[in-house]
Structure formats: C-alpha cells, structure tokens
Amino acid sequence: MSEIILMSDARVAAVPVEECGEPLVDVSDVLLVDGRKHDDPRGPELHLRQGVLDRLLAAEALLPDGLRLLFVEGYRPPTLQRSYFEEYADELRAAHPDWPADRIRSAASRYVSPPEIAPHTAGAAVDLTLADADGRELDLGTPMNANPEQSDGACYTGAGNITAVARTHRTVLGTALGAAGLVNYPTEWWHWSYGDRYWAMTTGAPAALYGPKDLGPS
C-alpha cells in the first residue's frame, strides 16, 4: 500500500475477528532472543501464536547465509498495551496542548497501537530485527522502538534518511518476512504481524484469525 494506514484508522477496527483458538507458544527455544525487554526467561512477551512462529521460522530459512532473526517482543498483555499507549499519548498532549483528542489518538497510533485492536495483545505481532551468525545485532537505521520524534521519522520502514547499509538490511528482513506471509506496520520497521486485524485489512482477508487473548492454558 502506498498510503500509510494507521492502527487508529476506522478501517482496521471494522475488520471482524473470527478467533481460531490457536495457542500462544514460547519462542525462546527456537528463535534467537534478545534480552532487552525480558526479566523473566519465560515471560509473556516471549510468546506468539503458533501460526506466527511457524512463519517466522519459514522467514528465517529464507535469509542469506550468516543472518538470523533476532526476536525482541511478541505477546503483550492488554493492561500493558494500554499503559504504553496512554504514556505516549500523554507525551504528545504535553508537547501539543492544542491538539484535539482525535489527533492525539492518531499520532499516538504511529508508535503504539490502540489497546482495543493491538496485534501484540492477540499474540499476532512481533518486534524483531536481524543478527549475524554470532548473534550481533545489525544496523537497521534506528534503535528498535525509536519513536517518530526521536528518530526524525527514520523509524518509518520506507524512510529515506538512513544509510545504504541500513536500507539493505531492512530490505533483506522485509523480503523474508513478506515471503512468509507477515505484514509490516509502515511506521515501525521492526513490527510485523500475521492473523490480526491489520494483517487482514492489508491482505484483503475477510476476517482476522486472532483476537486479544489471555496467556494461560488453551
């Protein structure tokens, strides 16, 4: 899509969910995991829907020799998602006291999904990057989770204000993940998903496969 559709767009919320009941599974035994967000080696953020994990493994097999996916975060409990969204919205309100509520919500959704439709709460989204054979993180242009203000927009997947090396790495990552059936959120080069409302809207699927889910016995 040439147009960037944000998570706050009514078209995303309008996508129905036909929950398939697929379990959340721990990825830590099969993917290279970065510890920047993990206090618990078996924490909730290390889980994804089985179908998402299967596609990540397929994508990793498509990477050039010597490269691996570096997993950072997957599932996010709804309460944590709401906390992240409100925290960033508060920053925007402080910086732009003249902005109306709908503009704050739209701007916040460039960086954190509104909690009621967030792919992370469904176990459908993953934040990840690339690493070399020794597990060293590659340069993809910005730190992961840099917001649009911090990065001068370089966090956008198609940003032009990054180096040629970073652009090549983004292309390698996107080619493999796209071929495996995942879609990118264009304001965050690191955010990819499958089976959620944003994926359904992007691909033309009639419904999302995964809705918000509690981590526990399935």
Side-chain angles (χ1 to χ4, degrees), residues 42-162:
R42 299 289 177 180
E45 68 278 358
L46 295 174
H47 292 72
L48 289 171
R49 297 290 190 132
Q50 181 69 60
V52 182
L53 176 56
D54 291 345
R55 283 162 177 79
L56 291 181
L57 295 175
E60 188 164 66
L62 298 173
L63 292 174
D65 289 345
L67 296 185
R68 299 186 64 184
L69 297 178
L70 181 60
F71 175 98
V72 175
E73 186 178 16
Y75 174 73
R76 193 179 292 159
T79 52
L80 182 58
Q81 181 72 30
R82 184 170 298 280
S83 169
Y84 284 167
F85 185 82
E86 291 301 333
E87 180 179 341
Y88 185 46
D90 285 345
E91 291 180 16
L92 292 172
R93 288 187 193 99
H96 305 282
D98 57 322
W99 283 8
D102 59 344
R103 185 171 181 183
I104 293 291
R105 176 180 165 83
S106 176
S109 74
R110 297 170 304 162
Y111 180 58
V112 186
S113 300
E116 64 275 12
I117 54 91
H120 280 288
T121 66
V126 57
D127 294 341
L128 80 174
T129 185
L130 287 174
D132 64 18
D134 295 320
R136 292 185 294 252
E137 184 175 351
L138 301 186
D139 174 20
L140 273 82
T142 73
M144 185 178 292
N145 292 320
N147 67 38
E149 290 76 27
Q150 293 165 337
S151 67
D152 192 26
C155 60
Y156 281 54
T157 307
N161 55 336
I162 60 174

Side-chain angles (χ1 to χ4, degrees), residues 160-171:
N161 55 336
I162 60 174
T163 67
V165 169
R167 166 59 51 207
T168 296
H169 291 159
R170 288 191 188 185
T171 299

Side-chain angles (χ1 to χ4, degrees), residues 24-45:
L24 286 162
V25 294
D26 190 331
V27 309
S28 59
D29 293 330
V30 289
L31 290 174
L32 178 64
V33 173
D34 179 276
R36 75 188 75 180
K37 284 198 170 185
H38 316 309
D39 296 325
D40 180 351
R42 299 289 177 180
E45 68 278 358

Side-chain angles (χ1 to χ4, degrees), residues 1-15 85 88 92 102-114 117 119 148 156 184-188 197-199 201-202:
M1 297 180 298
S2 57
E3 174 194 7
I4 292 181
I5 298 178
L6 297 175
M7 290 285 183
S8 59
D9 195 292
R11 288 170 286 183
V12 181
V15 174
F85 185 82
Y88 185 46
L92 292 172
D102 59 344
R103 185 171 181 183
I104 293 291
R105 176 180 165 83
S106 176
S109 74
R110 297 170 304 162
Y111 180 58
V112 186
S113 300
I117 54 91
Y156 281 54
N184 172 244
Y185 189 43
T187 63
E188 299 177 341
R197 281 170 158 158
Y198 199 84
W199 163 87
M201 185 211 63
T202 302

